[in-house]
Amino acid sequence: IGLLGFLYYRKQKHRQEKRAEVYKTETRIAKKLHDEVANNMVNIMNKVQYTEDPKEQLLDDLEKVYLLTRDISHQNNSIETGVHFKKSLKNLLTSFNTTTTTIILKNSSEVTLEEIAKDKQIEIYRIMQELMVNMQKHSKATLVAISFKRTADEYFINYSDNGKGADQSELKVRNGLKNVETRIKSINGLITFETSLNKGFKAFISFKK
């Protein structure tokens, strides 16, 4: 009876934690939609109504809203793990290709990313997503190179872009990069950043299989 009671308690606790996580996710998405999408749409409507901005400017503004909604979608979509992980990660990274930014992947096909534990696959996906969103928001990079390497029991991912870079003190206040550090620590990995003003941005990631 005691064992059954304990198992029931664990099951109920797990359900409560899942409900809390779902609520947290929904709240975060709602806040992003309000702060980033709705406010931008109001600005565009005001421009249409009260200014005479050229059509090209309005189209640029609408494209920015589209990119915001795409980012929110990327950040909250389900992640394919297991044998499909490599394709899922590649699709994520190449989706940031634009007319002004080129994404180059090196050795992604040779590295057996599908053999990584599923919990680590999820964290690596989110880490790379954060780096790409950071690039899109801050760096104004025209070229991004991401290389993959594996030894007997360790994986390495090197990220590099030719963007405007940043002062090291600025990195400390970027929530996205803080999230990256937290995520890599959760899988006992390591990440280091290398950047300076007008010298691009680099991130070096390593973690055990």
Side-chain angles (χ1 to χ4, degrees), residues 9-206:
Y9 167 77
R10 285 287 300 274
K11 188 175 181 180
Q12 291 298 109
K13 184 179 179 183
H14 178 69
R15 284 179 178 173
Q16 289 175 354
E17 288 173 350
K18 291 293 285 182
R19 283 197 295 268
E21 188 61 33
V22 169
Y23 175 76
K24 212 161 121 187
T25 301
E26 289 175 343
T27 302
R28 186 177 67 249
I29 294 172
K31 187 175 186 305
K32 273 183 170 289
L33 287 172
H34 176 270
D35 294 348
E36 299 182 22
V37 178
N39 288 344
N40 276 280
M41 287 303 299
V42 169
N43 289 335
I44 292 172
M45 288 188 290
N46 285 337
K47 284 183 179 181
V48 171
Q49 189 171 1
Y50 301 113
T51 70
E52 295 182 359
D53 281 2
K55 181 180 178 181
E56 291 76 15
Q57 179 61 50
L58 293 173
L59 288 173
D60 286 343
D61 291 340
L62 286 170
E63 184 180 10
K64 289 175 184 176
V65 173
Y66 162 72
L67 291 174
L68 284 172
T69 56
R70 189 189 69 173
D71 290 344
I72 293 171
S73 174
H74 281 159
Q75 290 166 19
N76 297 283
N77 63 350
S78 58
I79 300 170
E80 289 192 83
T81 56
V83 294
H84 301 294
F85 175 69
K86 185 188 294 184
K87 181 180 178 182
S88 178
L89 181 62
K90 186 176 180 180
N91 287 342
L92 167 74
L93 299 175
T94 55
S95 73
F96 285 86
N97 266 311
T98 68
T99 54
T100 56
T101 305
T102 301
I103 312 297
I104 298 175
L105 305 182
K106 184 179 179 183
N107 299 328
S108 61
S109 300
E110 287 83 23
V111 177
T112 52
L113 297 171
E114 65 275 9
E115 293 182 3
I116 303 170
K118 289 185 178 181
D119 60 325
K120 291 186 178 182
Q121 288 179 342
I122 292 170
E123 296 302 334
I124 292 302
Y125 184 99
R126 293 302 187 200
I127 286 168
M128 297 310 299
Q129 185 178 61
E130 291 277 13
L131 289 177
M132 299 304 286
V133 170
N134 177 74
M135 176 276 298
Q136 190 178 67
K137 286 182 176 179
H138 302 290
S139 77
K140 301 188 185 301
T142 59
L143 182 65
V144 178
I146 303 168
S147 64
F148 298 82
K149 182 183 176 182
R150 181 190 173 183
T151 60
D153 64 345
E154 195 166 9
Y155 288 86
F156 302 88
I157 303 176
N158 293 339
Y159 168 97
S160 177
D161 71 45
N162 67 346
K164 64 180 184 179
D167 186 86
Q168 286 288 342
S169 60
E170 185 185 337
L171 298 184
K172 295 177 182 178
V173 299
R174 289 191 186 174
N175 288 332
L177 296 184
K178 287 181 181 178
N179 291 340
V180 164
E181 290 181 320
T182 301
R183 288 184 183 280
I184 197 68
K185 285 178 183 177
S186 73
I187 59 173
N188 298 316
L190 191 65
I191 186 167
T192 56
F193 303 118
E194 184 181 302
T195 186
S196 58
L197 287 173
N198 303 313
K199 294 292 179 67
F201 177 87
K202 295 180 180 178
F204 305 96
I205 300 167
S206 61

